[in-house]
Amino acid sequence: MINRLTRKRQKLINIGYNKLKAEGRLDFLEYLESVLTNTKLDQVKLDKVCHSYNHDVELSVRQYLSLRVLGYKFNKSLLYSIGSNSPLRHPLPKEWRRELINQGVEVDCLSSAFLFFVYSIVYWMSGVLQGIKAIPVFFNKAPLLGRYIYFDHLIKNRNNNCFSENSDSHNIINWYLKWRNKSEKIKNIRHSVSSHSNFKLGNISITNNGVYPSLSKIKLFQYLYFLVSLSLYYLATLIVRPYQGWLFAEIIKVKIFELADKGKLAEDYLFNNSNNVYRPMWTFLVENKGSRVIFYFYSINDEAFKRNGRYPSHNQLHLMSWPYYLVWDRHHADFIKRLNQRNSIIEEVGVTWFSSGKMGVEICSNSIAVFDVTPSDWSLYITYGAPLEYYIYSISNKFVVDIYTTLKSNNIFTVFKTKRIDKAKSCNKYVANLKQLNRNSDFTMLDPGIAPLQVIKKTKACISAPFTTTALIAKSEGKPSVYYDPSGIIDKNDRAAHDIPVLSNIDELQEWVESIN
């Protein structure tokens, strides 16, 4: 029964998508996201947070709800609504429900309001649990004294790793230590990847102590009183102030950082573009206490495609409010300046390493590196809210086949590295075709975990799907680098290309390959 209901729901979602496509309104989801993220929430107030928090609370709440409420879940609900000719039912605040109605969307306000309230209870419960889990912070002894920095949202898995005891590995830890504006005299780099054991990198300790600062036991009772009293107060007032339930866990973090002495805080707190919209509320507190809050990009493909000679304005990245951005080049800096809502520092730092992959790959010198964007399974792709169909099977497959055919005719080997392959999310037909091509002696499909830089260094040139980061990495290494667009959809003058040439058909590709050869 569950499977039948799931299939029926997916069928109606597909119908909703096809309706928008037939009407030429695939950008409707993107447009609504822009409208909602620009719609301010009325009377937002978070009671009894802390005396030292004085930032724009409404913006923080809007950022947080954009992360939790919008995105593919909202898109699925809306497509289902369109496909089933029924009102939209999705957890939404009243201001966003009202704005959707103004945009011609039929909304079941009662159900959506009820869902929003239910979710506020769920998030309140999660906040209580996180508040209890934070109690051991008061008993943990600081393993190392001295100045430290903290990296948020690092990764460690079988394919990629942000850590290495080798100081020559191209990961974010080593990048930071080579950065000219890093904090000086640090003794410790902290992160929250518990699966990675502690180690030393020269004189610096790399430890998985998490984000919370060390707190004295004497402040435990103050924290417990805050946790118990605020939990009960927020529960009693959820019906009139549901935002307090949604952000309860974030408010607890604010309190913990308020209790911390200035000397227990990191010199730098570094965040990356895996989560770029919501800036944690506690970061305003540590910034006021003298810490630097830094946002860095490990990739540059955040800009929307130029369409019909115009750049779309629909992008929730306008909500970003970070004080310090590290960007790759002047094009990237201009992108942030167009979005920036505050007087932030924007520093151009070139290619920013993030994670180092597997090593030791053997590559023929007469090869060109090819990097794609793996298309998702169709049922997942349509929930992304893409305004035009680009990263889909037909285009991605033509991208690979055109390149392989052209390189083969010029007696050049194809070294192909896909970004990632997820059996549950990737397009199975595309993956099957790649495996078929890999049977050819002049086509080498690399493990997704291989570091792109390693591949680029060992090949003579680079071809990337627009607008992926590998093209800029190859350019920085002095290798000929282009984007290939087999569909002709991409505007050659799109600023998102960062001055990398865009080849629009197989004839242009052939001409470029001959010039390289």
Side-chain angles (χ1 to χ4, degrees):
M1 183 182 297
I2 293 174
N3 288 337
R4 285 201 301 269
L5 290 173
T6 301
R7 289 194 297 269
K8 181 179 179 181
R9 180 175 176 82
Q10 185 60 53
K11 182 179 179 180
L12 291 172
I13 290 173
N14 291 344
I15 291 173
Y17 180 86
N18 290 331
K19 281 185 178 181
L20 290 180
K21 183 177 179 180
E23 296 168 1
R25 294 198 301 150
L26 282 182
D27 61 347
F28 186 55
L29 300 177
E30 182 188 59
Y31 170 73
L32 287 182
E33 182 180 81
S34 175
V35 169
L36 295 183
T37 55
N38 278 286
T39 300
K40 290 190 176 183
L41 307 171
D42 299 332
Q43 299 178 343
V44 173
K45 185 179 179 183
L46 303 179
D47 289 337
K48 302 180 181 180
V49 180
C50 67
H51 298 297
S52 51
Y53 185 81
N54 56 9
H55 178 64
D56 184 351
V57 174
E58 188 278 334
L59 179 58
S60 291
V61 174
R62 193 155 30 111
Q63 289 175 343
Y64 190 81
L65 290 182
S66 296
L67 178 67
R68 300 297 183 187
V69 170
L70 301 182
Y72 81 96
K73 292 181 180 178
F74 172 76
N75 293 338
K76 286 179 69 173
S77 297
L78 186 59
L79 290 173
Y80 176 81
S81 170
I82 296 171
S84 61
N85 291 316
S86 61
L88 173 67
R89 298 178 179 90
H90 192 76
L92 294 166
K94 63 179 180 180
E95 296 83 2
W96 290 2
R97 299 195 301 268
R98 185 187 310 129
E99 188 56 41
L100 285 172
I101 293 172
N102 292 338
Q103 296 297 326
V105 178
E106 186 181 359
V107 180
D108 185 338
C109 290
L110 183 61
S111 297
S112 297
F114 177 72
L115 287 171
F116 191 73
F117 175 69
V118 169
Y119 272 82
S120 72
I121 296 176
V122 172
Y123 277 89
W124 172 84
M125 294 172 61
S126 176
V128 172
L129 183 61
Q130 289 191 44
I132 295 171
K133 288 183 176 180
I135 292 176
V137 171
F138 294 90
F139 300 95
N140 289 343
K141 294 182 179 180
L144 292 168
L145 299 176
R147 296 159 62 93
Y148 73 95
I149 63 169
Y150 172 78
F151 275 97
D152 180 73
H153 211 82
L154 298 189
I155 60 173
K156 177 184 181 296
N157 55 46
R158 67 183 184 88
N159 288 331
N160 294 290
N161 200 334
C162 293
F163 316 91
S164 175
E165 296 183 44
N166 181 359
S167 60
D168 293 326
S169 293
H170 291 79
N171 56 51
I172 190 61
I173 300 293
N174 290 334
W175 182 92
Y176 177 87
L177 295 176
K178 297 177 188 298
W179 177 38
R180 63 179 181 178
N181 288 328
K182 68 178 183 295
S183 289
E184 299 294 338
K185 300 180 181 179
I186 60 171
K187 301 295 184 182
N188 183 228
I189 294 178
R190 292 172 59 165
H191 59 87
S192 58
V193 183
S194 58
S195 60
H196 198 288
S197 57
N198 300 337
F199 66 97
K200 294 275 274 188
L201 192 61
N203 296 322
I204 298 176
S205 299
I206 315 296
T207 58
N208 59 2
N209 304 113
V211 65
Y212 291 140
S214 300
L215 299 173
S216 59
K217 293 181 183 179
I218 197 172
K219 294 183 178 179
L220 172 62
F221 294 103
Q222 186 178 351
Y223 172 75
L224 290 176
Y225 173 77
F226 170 86
L227 178 61
V228 173
S229 61
L230 204 65
S231 297
L232 296 175
Y233 175 74
Y234 276 12
L235 179 62
T237 58
L238 275 182
I239 192 69
V240 292
R241 290 183 179 169
Y243 302 124
Q244 297 184 157
W246 281 88
L247 279 91
F248 189 37
E250 299 300 303
I251 293 167
I252 289 172
K253 294 175 185 177
V254 171
K255 188 62 179 180
I256 290 175
F257 280 94
E258 184 194 29
L259 293 173
D261 297 329
K262 181 179 178 180
K264 300 293 186 179
L265 300 177
E267 301 298 314
D268 290 340
Y269 290 93
L270 293 106
F271 299 81
N272 60 57
N273 57 306
S274 58
N275 174 24
N276 45 23
V277 173
Y278 173 64
R279 177 182 172 184
M281 295 171 63
W282 58 265
T283 61
F284 295 96
L285 208 68
V286 298
E287 184 184 7
N288 291 339
K289 290 187 176 185
S291 298
R292 287 194 304 182
V293 177
I294 300 172
F295 186 89
Y296 65 94
F297 290 84
Y298 59 77
S299 64
I300 50 89
N301 58 339
D302 293 301
E303 287 195 71
F305 291 155
K306 184 179 181 180
R307 304 196 294 272
N308 300 320
R310 301 178 61 185
Y311 292 102
S313 58
H314 317 317
N315 200 321
Q316 66 171 252
L317 295 180
H318 68 86
L319 291 173
M320 294 194 303
S321 56
W322 302 93
Y324 197 147
Y325 293 93
L326 303 182
V327 299
W328 286 42
D329 57 21
R330 63 178 179 84
H331 300 283
H332 207 182
D334 290 341
F335 172 58
I336 297 301
K337 289 174 184 176
R338 291 192 296 271
L339 297 170
N340 193 28
Q341 294 189 0
R342 55 179 292 173
N343 188 25
S344 304
I345 299 171
I346 302 176
E347 181 181 347
E348 297 176 29
V349 295
V351 174
T352 305
W353 311 330
F354 184 60
S355 60
S356 52
K358 297 178 181 179
M359 304 295 288
V361 61
E362 294 294 330
I363 295 175
C364 171
S365 59
N366 185 34
S367 302
I368 288 181
V370 180
F371 299 91
D372 76 338
V373 174
T374 307
S376 299
D377 178 79
W378 186 249
S379 62
L380 181 62
Y381 174 82
I382 63 177
T383 65
Y384 291 160
L388 76 165
E389 293 179 350
Y390 191 80
Y391 297 125
I392 59 177
Y393 167 76
S394 59
I395 294 178
S396 296
N397 192 63
K398 185 170 175 54
F399 170 85
V400 181
V401 172
D402 280 4
I403 292 173
Y404 171 65
T405 303
T406 303
L407 297 188
K408 182 180 179 68
S409 67
N410 285 272
N411 298 315
I412 299 176
F413 288 84
T414 301
V415 176
F416 182 84
K417 181 186 177 300
T418 188
K419 191 172 184 180
R420 65 178 64 89
I421 293 179
D422 187 322
K423 292 182 179 179
K425 297 180 179 180
S426 301
C427 174
N428 292 330
K429 187 176 181 180
Y430 178 75
V431 175
N433 287 356
L434 290 182
K435 291 180 179 179
Q436 182 68 31
L437 283 173
N438 197 38
R439 295 176 181 175
N440 298 313
S441 59
D442 51 0
F443 185 97
T444 301
M445 182 176 172
L446 298 177
D447 188 306
I450 299 294
L453 180 61
Q454 183 185 174
V455 180
I456 289 169
K457 283 179 174 291
K458 294 186 177 182
T459 49
K460 62 196 299 184
C462 177
I463 305 173
S464 304
F467 287 115
T468 50
T469 307
T470 50
L472 268 70
I473 297 175
K475 181 179 178 180
S476 71
E477 293 294 318
K479 299 295 180 76
S481 178
V482 293
Y483 289 118
Y484 179 53
D485 167 34
S487 69
I489 292 174
I490 304 298
D491 191 314
K492 288 180 176 292
N493 297 316
D494 196 322
R495 61 196 179 198
H498 292 238
D499 288 337
I500 302 290
V502 178
L503 309 180
S504 300
N505 54 60
I506 196 168
D507 292 333
E508 292 183 5
L509 178 64
Q510 174 69 28
E511 183 179 347
W512 179 79
V513 171
E514 288 176 355
S515 71
I516 297 301
N517 208 19

